[in-house]
Amino acid sequence: MIDVIVAGGGPTGLMLASELRLHGVHVLVLERDAEPTRIVRSLGLHARSIEVMDQRGLLERFLALGQKYPLGGFFAGIRKPAPERLDTAHPYTLGIPQNITDRLLAEHAAEVGVEIRRGCELVGLSQDEDGVTAELADGTQPRARYLVGCDGGRSTVRKLLGIGFPGEPATVETLLGEMRVTANPATIAAANEEVRKTQLRFGLMPLGDGAYRVGVPAAGVAEDRAVPPTMEDFQRQLRAVAGTDFGAHSPRWLSRFGNSTRLADHYRAGRALLAGDAAHIHSPAGGQGLNLGIQDAFNLGWKLAAEVSGWAPAGLLDSYHTERRPVAADVLDNTRAMMELMSVEPGPQSVRRLVSELMDFEDVNRYLIEKITAIGIRYDFGEGHELLGRRLRDVGLKQGRLYGLMHGGRGLLLDQTGRLSVAGWADRVDHVVDVSEELDVPAALLRPDGHVAWVGEDQQDLLRQLPKWFGRG
Ligand SMILES: Cc1cc2nc3c(=O)[nH]c(=O)nc-3n(C[C@H](O)[C@H](O)[C@H](O)COP(=O)(O)OP(=O)(O)OC[C@H]3O[C@@H](n4cnc5c(N)ncnc54)[C@H](O)[C@@H]3O)c2cc1C
């Protein structure tokens, strides 16, 4: 029997499947679309996702196809440079179109042995005590011990499970597409400068091959957002917002997106779970959705693998919901706030000016950047050292870099004392005896997702913590 069926082969599903495979879990990805989509949604990775790629040995291939940009300007598009000395070895944004991210994640998944079936739509599911049976559009019924819905914002899995998805419908909509224009670059640059003073949902971005990525506010909110806009819709809206349609023609693809904001009531129902857009949707402000999904997968992968492998301590799998749902709730909130700050109304514009002034205080700027890049996340592991619950940044060791030792997705005890032991857990936790000038704690126990589960130097204390995360020794 298959261990885990992942419904949806977008970035979340692919990342999750690869994480499961690192632990030998037999995983099948079902992807509805026969071919990868041509539509490019996300344009980049933030610091925490860049760290995640580094922790799994994928960073070089992302860097080779991406472009580093300075951090800053992400909070509601307010142009302020990022503060110095952010708590990460990767204080930049990696510009990389989503279709390339998806391709790289699919290649990695294939390398680690994930089976991806394209052209397979999940249309039904049922579960019992032992497993979940998926029903596919072609009539086949694969069965697995667990199923994870990574099937996007309109998630079939979420609906079939009857999980509530409360929130607000879209109030504004933006048309987005890639096309050619006859207007010259100077005209376009001038229009970008002028119109974006008040309308931040407008913009023409050169793609380097003569085409442009064009965004423009729609006239209203479409009844069915799955129906793409026409070229005439684009031309009309460009004229209405910028006074010219820039001679736009020859679209590669046209789409629309809104600001509907919703969060799943539960991330788990029995043997079925949700991750990524299937669990949360919000406006693209700040560029966070794909990052959030990848980080959901990073949190869930090792926990579900532990459950499948039989060593998961009680409550470990449920900690996925308790840790990740508040993170998504916070992203929903900050995107709502950013959308308000991007409104052209005088009230929100005044608040925007005020927030912009506040960002001149370094602490405020740092707080907002840590939020958007997700490096400030701290899970609630109870009282303790300030590192507890946070992910540890990459630090230099005598034998290399910390993240370079985490590619296998196992737990890790970084022991600067040389006196500790993980005997009994050595099949799940690596013991690294080394020192780092960048780390002033005697030892730290890291979960496979890099979050700090324990800090200290007392073996008895460590022995109390190990079973909490890694089961019986
Ligand atoms: C305009 C725009 C710009 C964005 N920019 C950014 C950005 O800069 N940064 C960022 O982090 N995020 C951004 N996002 C958000 C990002 O695109 C999404 O959050 C991300 O794609 C979510 O990944 P996912 O894998 O959870 O879902 P999806 O990417 O939606 O993947 C779901 C997959 O499931 C498949 N599927 C659906 N139903 C079924 C079914 N029944 N059976 C089998 N397969 C199914 C679909 O075909 C799809 O491949 C942007 C979004 C938009 C609209």
Side-chain angles (χ1 to χ4, degrees):
M1 178 149 107
I2 301 161
D3 292 320
V4 180
I5 290 175
V6 173
T12 306
L14 292 169
M15 188 75 205
L16 176 65
S18 298
E19 286 296 293
L20 290 163
R21 275 304 302 153
L22 288 184
H23 300 273
V25 171
H26 182 192
V27 50
L28 170 66
V29 175
L30 303 171
E31 166 53 47
R32 179 192 58 200
D33 295 349
E35 297 292 333
T37 173
R38 299 185 65 204
I39 295 176
V40 179
R41 289 186 284 165
S42 167
L43 291 181
L45 298 183
H46 281 307
R48 180 57 192 142
S49 300
I50 297 169
E51 291 181 347
V52 163
M53 298 310 160
D54 199 11
Q55 278 174 290
R56 291 298 179 262
L58 302 175
L59 186 57
E60 291 309 317
R61 52 181 97 175
F62 276 85
L63 290 179
L65 296 176
Q67 194 173 350
K68 289 183 184 179
Y69 292 102
L71 259 176
F74 272 95
F75 192 78
I78 295 173
R79 290 187 199 166
K80 299 277 170 170
E84 299 285 307
R85 294 183 304 280
L86 280 177
D87 178 33
T88 175
H90 302 285
Y92 55 88
T93 299
L94 187 68
I96 186 162
Q98 181 163 347
N99 52 342
I100 297 183
T101 294
D102 289 358
R103 176 162 64 76
L104 291 177
L105 291 176
E107 284 169 11
H108 171 57
E111 282 161 19
V112 294
V114 173
E115 184 187 348
I116 304 172
R117 277 188 216 158
R118 286 199 158 271
C120 278
E121 183 179 6
L122 179 144
V123 294
L125 68 84
S126 57
Q127 56 174 316
D128 53 43
E129 271 184 17
D130 304 319
V132 188
T133 305
E135 194 184 316
L136 307 190
D138 66 6
T140 54
Q141 299 195 334
R143 185 169 162 80
R145 294 168 68 188
Y146 288 89
L147 183 143
V148 188
C150 300
D151 50 345
R154 297 188 187 92
S155 172
T156 304
V157 172
R158 187 188 65 233
K159 290 173 193 155
L160 289 168
L161 292 171
I163 293 178
F165 203 40
E168 311 93 60
T171 53
V172 292
E173 193 171 279
T174 306
L175 309 183
L176 182 70
E178 286 182 3
M179 60 199 72
R180 295 190 167 268
V181 297
T182 55
N184 64 48
T187 307
I188 292 168
N192 274 337
E193 187 63 30
E194 191 52 35
V195 181
R196 283 180 61 82
K197 279 182 187 159
T198 50
Q199 184 45 271
L200 284 158
R201 290 188 290 124
F202 165 85
L204 279 77
M205 189 183 96
L207 294 170
D209 59 0
Y212 281 78
R213 179 174 167 108
V214 178
V216 62
V221 176
E223 258 177 42
D224 182 359
R225 245 196 333 278
V227 178
T230 63
M231 200 57 212
E232 290 68 43
D233 293 334
F234 260 88
Q235 288 157 337
R236 194 178 53 246
Q237 285 312 108
L238 285 169
R239 284 193 294 271
V241 173
T244 166
D245 64 15
F246 303 94
H249 65 97
S250 308
R252 286 181 189 157
W253 53 263
L254 302 173
S255 73
R256 56 176 96 234
F257 66 90
N259 63 335
S260 50
T261 305
R262 296 181 182 279
L263 180 60
D265 282 333
H266 301 282
Y267 278 23
R268 178 182 180 189
R271 291 178 167 272
L273 299 108
L274 298 175
D277 276 16
H280 37 69
I281 54 167
H282 49 81
S283 91
Q288 300 169 90
L290 176 145
N291 288 271
L292 189 59
I294 283 179
Q295 291 159 38
D296 282 350
F298 209 55
N299 184 287
L300 175 59
W302 69 279
K303 295 175 180 174
L304 188 51
E307 194 70 34
V308 168
S309 308
W311 59 259
L316 184 69
L317 189 54
D318 284 328
S319 73
Y320 165 62
H321 167 97
T322 48
E323 289 175 2
R324 293 303 299 171
R325 192 171 177 278
V327 171
D330 193 52
V331 170
L332 262 58
D333 254 359
N334 79 47
T335 56
R336 283 185 185 105
M338 282 191 269
M339 286 305 286
E340 286 299 314
L341 295 175
M342 289 162 77
S343 156
V344 294
E345 297 298 322
Q349 288 279 319
S350 305
V351 183
R352 183 183 177 86
R353 282 190 289 277
L354 196 61
V355 172
S356 176
E357 286 167 24
L358 288 173
M359 284 173 72
D360 288 335
F361 293 96
E362 194 187 294
D363 281 355
V364 175
N365 197 7
R366 185 178 300 277
Y367 178 80
L368 293 174
I369 290 272
E370 288 187 351
K371 209 182 244 312
I372 300 282
T373 57
I375 59 172
I377 290 170
R378 182 176 194 182
Y379 299 139
D380 183 5
F381 295 174
E383 295 285 300
H385 192 276
E386 62 175 46
L387 284 178
L388 197 66
R390 291 180 179 275
R391 101 291 177 238
L392 191 61
R393 62 172 287 169
D394 192 20
V395 294
L397 303 170
K398 280 198 172 149
Q399 57 180 291
R401 298 205 65 86
L402 174 66
Y403 283 10
L405 303 175
M406 302 189 75
H407 296 179
R410 292 150 53 84
L412 186 146
L413 176 69
L414 179 55
D415 178 4
Q416 304 204 79
T417 73
R419 286 184 276 104
L420 297 168
S421 162
V422 294
W425 288 270
D427 57 334
R428 283 150 275 169
V429 182
D430 293 329
H431 184 192
V432 175
V433 179
D434 206 334
V435 289
S436 171
E437 288 178 1
E438 299 166 66
L439 193 62
D440 62 358
V441 294
L445 176 66
L446 306 184
R447 309 193 313 185
D449 61 356
H451 281 256
V452 178
W454 173 81
V455 169
E457 55 187 326
D458 178 49
Q459 178 69 25
Q460 292 310 315
D461 195 22
L462 173 63
L463 288 176
R464 279 190 290 276
Q465 293 303 317
L466 278 164
K468 208 167 134 187
W469 300 107
F470 298 103
R472 285 207 197 100

